[in-house]
Amino acid sequence: MSATRIVDIGALPGAREADERAAELALRLPGALAPLARIALDYRWAWDADGPELFRALDPHAWEINDRNPVRQLADLTTHAAEIAASHVPTLERIARVARVLEEDKARPETPVDGVGGPVVFVCAEFGIHQSLPIYSGGLGALAGDILKEASDLALPMIGVGLLYRKGYFHQRVDRNGLQHEYWTQIMPERLPTVQVLDELGAPLRLAFPLFGREVAFHVWRAEIGRVPLYLLDAELEENDPVDRWITARLYEGNPLTRLGQYGLLGLGTVRMLRALGIEPGVLHFNEGHPALAALELASEQVASGVPLDEALAAARERCVFTTHTPVPAGNETYERSSFLEAFADLPARLGMDAERFLDLCRTRPGTDEWPGMTPLALRLSRRANGVSLRHGQVAREIWRPLYGDVPADEVPITHVTNGVHLPTFLSTPMRALLDRHLGEEWLGRAAEPETWAPVEDIPDEELWAARNDARRLLVDYVKAKSVQDRLLRGEDPESVKAVAETFTADTLTLGFARRIATYKRLFLLTYDPERVRRIFADGSPVQMVVAGKAHPLDDNAKQMLVDAFGLSQSIGITSRVVFLEDYDLSVAAPIVGGCDVWLNVPRPPQEASGTSGMKSAANGGLNLSVLDGWWVEGYDGQNGWEIDGARRDGEDETAQDARHAHALYDLLEQHVIPLFHERDADGVPRRWLAMVKRSLVTNGPRFSAARMVGEYAQRIYPPA
């Protein structure tokens, strides 16, 4: 590993193309609005306090129709709207301020990573940057987006690499029976805040990688995430056959052969792209096992230059680190032997090894007939590996003991870096304003330090309560508008739809349950005992709930949970108190985590690797009620929320555990949460509730910030041993 050196990220390929595209976009705008073109091509605007409003105010209706895509907003801006904005002094002042923020951000000196002689190349199958770049599905993508944003904030030398899915992840419609239906829409990168990387002759850069005995060509696109460039690989080329073009069609495609193509492109293609762009990575960070073939591509380069195989593998291993995100089998998928060998038929030969050794690198137990997978390969060819919470690290060490010769779990070399959330992205406007007033100048730059959050204790209860009420009001307004639209699209009776607007109110205790719908997340616990649920949410009840989430198109069990929940809600008459919001994505998540008073989480332990939605709620002054699993093992201290015991009791099967956890949930709601929220003093302020909120902010704010998380990666994971 070479010595630490400064990396000029801004001069990497694609930067010139971004400047040229900004100049073209600016030609369509009045001179006073021209700086908006460059702002639109850098997602740094998305986490600036003024950024979203800057584009929304140009044409609020078009902003929503355009999925809050700033490039489309500017391209479609009418002459009349542009003239109004160009003559509006506050708008021009806002443009100047945001442009200055972006310029100063780029000009900051880099913060090098000790001992790493090049950029950190962060490779992931999905990135949740913003709803206008729909190449994410859920928590893994949101986490990856937060890492890039925080790396930009910390001025770390990082580059992101992913895939440009031309149809993204699916959109969700739910019918009147609760059955999920999926549909996909076409993405046009020419209308996104992305630019195509060109070669020296000004043509789209064309690269290729081997798959199933043929060459698959791909292009490269670039998005600006503040200081961090995100390169996206795209197989939608006319020269590819339709099957190969499908590789970058849909995120988490159900066909295993297509997924092998995706992981081949992500792994092999990443290294080939880095070589073509002249980028020498200091370390490659595999965020899940999907890109693990990159390590073998590095080794094959060494073998081609005459280095013995074992030395080449060891050298590749020293350049890679790996984060595993899930103990759920579906997250560590394996593949049929012959398909795997056919997909990557050239790799064993290029590495100078036989097929069985190649397969053994991808098996937990070499020398068996176990199907190969990417996670064992990533673990074998990374010098450091980590889970994403203290508890997940423990679970991962136990799961992967066989890969290390069945040594005791505490000797398995998998550590943990607990996830965190990017606060500027997920703080609601009222909470951001409150914390800006009380935590001091530039407090977000010190968010990982406990001392930064200490002044929360001195915030007057009345101010904190007002901010929480404002955030809940924003959520309720959003719920009324979206749920009415969702229900009318379902064909529900307009009169019953009106009930939501009449019964969902801004002063009512609001619970939130929004996440990917998977079997282990146990949505069914919310309706496990119909009579108790009816009693909690009956008309006139002092509580309401927002539910959102998508089930994978092939997860029939998860889809059935949604059907069952819909059916029960209708049968016991609580559909006006429990609202399901369709098509969960980052734009839906923000108002929910910002406005809910209590965040519910009931995964089957120990299958929750971390969970970040609860962290986002906590940062916004919400309180968590969760099974003691994932991040909540570290977050809960007995005074900052509520816990459901996650340990399985002797002789307890899953059915018994479900019953115990469901009734514990109802008990906590009826006996603790609801009474505490409605306990008010003479001024109408819930003092004891707010004391718990302050405790949650002080304890969880710094510990689960992305600043702390990315700082740990830079200090503990990226540097060489």
Side-chain angles (χ1 to χ4, degrees), residues 616-632:
K616 296 161 188 169
S617 178
N620 279 290
L623 295 174
N624 278 267
L625 191 171
S626 175
V627 168
L628 210 57
D629 196 19
W631 79 281
W632 196 228

Side-chain angles (χ1 to χ4, degrees), residues 550-573:
K550 294 177 177 178
H552 188 278
L554 298 183
D555 191 344
D556 291 334
N557 289 333
K559 288 184 179 181
Q560 187 59 47
M561 284 197 301
L562 190 55
V563 171
D564 294 343
F566 261 68
L568 183 64
S569 296
Q570 292 168 357
S571 67
I572 62 178

Side-chain angles (χ1 to χ4, degrees), residues 150 154 156 706-716:
E150 193 61 50
L154 297 175
L156 293 178
R708 187 274 312 154
M709 170 185 63
V710 174
E712 280 197 46
Y713 277 114
Q715 295 161 17
R716 295 177 41 223

Side-chain angles (χ1 to χ4, degrees), residues 59-81:
D59 187 334
H61 182 61
W63 184 236
E64 298 305 324
I65 291 176
N66 289 329
D67 283 333
R68 304 181 188 179
N69 177 343
V71 170
R72 286 182 60 187
Q73 183 79 338
L74 296 183
D76 296 346
L77 193 64
T78 66
T79 301
H80 179 64

Side-chain angles (χ1 to χ4, degrees), residues 527 529-531 533-535 538 567-575:
T527 54
D529 185 331
E531 178 51 35
V533 173
R534 187 201 61 75
R535 189 167 70 219
L568 183 64
S569 296
Q570 292 168 357
S571 67
I572 62 178
I574 62 170
T575 56

Side-chain angles (χ1 to χ4, degrees), residues 351-431:
L351 289 162
M353 64 172 65
D354 61 28
E356 283 306 313
R357 182 169 185 188
F358 172 55
L359 291 173
D360 281 348
L361 287 173
C362 306
R363 289 169 170 154
T364 305
R365 296 183 183 276
T368 67
D369 60 357
E370 175 186 328
W371 283 16
M374 296 300 178
T375 304
L377 178 62
L379 287 167
R380 277 206 168 81
L381 293 185
S382 296
R383 60 176 165 80
R384 284 201 178 92
N386 67 278
V388 289
S389 70
L390 172 66
R391 178 67 179 128
H392 181 230
Q394 297 166 346
V395 172
R397 286 190 288 275
E398 186 62 41
I399 288 175
W400 297 109
R401 283 180 55 229
L403 190 140
Y404 299 96
D406 287 314
V407 299
D410 60 3
E411 296 180 18
V412 172
I414 299 176
T415 183
H416 77 277
V417 175
T418 301
N419 285 343
V421 297
H422 187 245
L423 294 172
T425 294
F426 290 103
L427 282 176
S428 69
T429 299
M431 185 57 66

Side-chain angles (χ1 to χ4, degrees), residues 227-460:
R227 297 170 56 100
V228 176
L230 170 59
Y231 290 103
L232 300 171
L233 314 184
D234 174 23
E236 179 65 28
L237 278 69
E238 288 188 7
E239 67 181 275
N240 289 333
D241 69 33
V243 172
D244 291 339
R245 293 168 72 171
W246 196 254
I247 288 172
T248 51
R250 305 197 303 199
L251 174 60
Y252 298 137
E253 172 62 37
N255 186 292
L257 299 184
T258 301
R259 288 202 305 278
L260 284 174
Q262 292 178 338
Y263 304 155
L265 175 55
L266 190 61
L268 307 176
T270 288
V271 176
R272 295 181 179 212
M273 180 209 72
L274 293 173
R275 297 302 180 229
L277 299 185
I279 298 171
E280 186 61 36
V283 60
L284 275 78
H285 183 172
F286 304 148
N287 198 42
E288 273 295 22
H290 310 131
L293 290 171
L296 291 181
E297 184 72 2
L298 289 176
S300 74
E301 294 177 337
Q302 295 274 301
V303 170
S305 66
V307 176
L309 173 60
D310 288 342
E311 290 183 24
L313 291 173
R317 186 175 185 274
E318 286 304 307
R319 304 188 71 178
C320 302
V321 299
F322 169 53
T323 299
T324 175
H325 281 264
T326 175
V328 179
N332 297 294
E333 57 196 87
T334 57
Y335 303 91
E336 193 272 326
R337 180 185 190 278
S338 62
S339 296
F340 198 80
L341 286 176
E342 289 172 13
F344 311 117
D346 75 307
L347 257 181
R350 288 198 289 124
L351 289 162
M353 64 172 65
D354 61 28
E356 283 306 313
R357 182 169 185 188
F358 172 55
L359 291 173
D360 281 348
L361 287 173
C362 306
R363 289 169 170 154
T364 305
R365 296 183 183 276
T368 67
D369 60 357
E370 175 186 328
W371 283 16
M374 296 300 178
T375 304
L377 178 62
L379 287 167
R380 277 206 168 81
L381 293 185
S382 296
R383 60 176 165 80
R384 284 201 178 92
N386 67 278
V388 289
S389 70
L390 172 66
R391 178 67 179 128
H392 181 230
Q394 297 166 346
V395 172
R397 286 190 288 275
E398 186 62 41
I399 288 175
W400 297 109
R401 283 180 55 229
L403 190 140
Y404 299 96
D406 287 314
V407 299
D410 60 3
E411 296 180 18
V412 172
I414 299 176
T415 183
H416 77 277
V417 175
T418 301
N419 285 343
V421 297
H422 187 245
L423 294 172
T425 294
F426 290 103
L427 282 176
S428 69
T429 299
M431 185 57 66
R432 172 76 178 265
L434 177 75
L435 297 178
D436 283 350
R437 289 197 302 272
H438 290 277
L439 299 192
E441 189 79 14
E442 303 294 332
W443 72 271
L444 283 167
R446 299 175 283 104
E449 302 168 13
E451 297 80 8
T452 299
W453 297 80
V456 165
E457 297 284 7
D458 298 324
I459 296 176

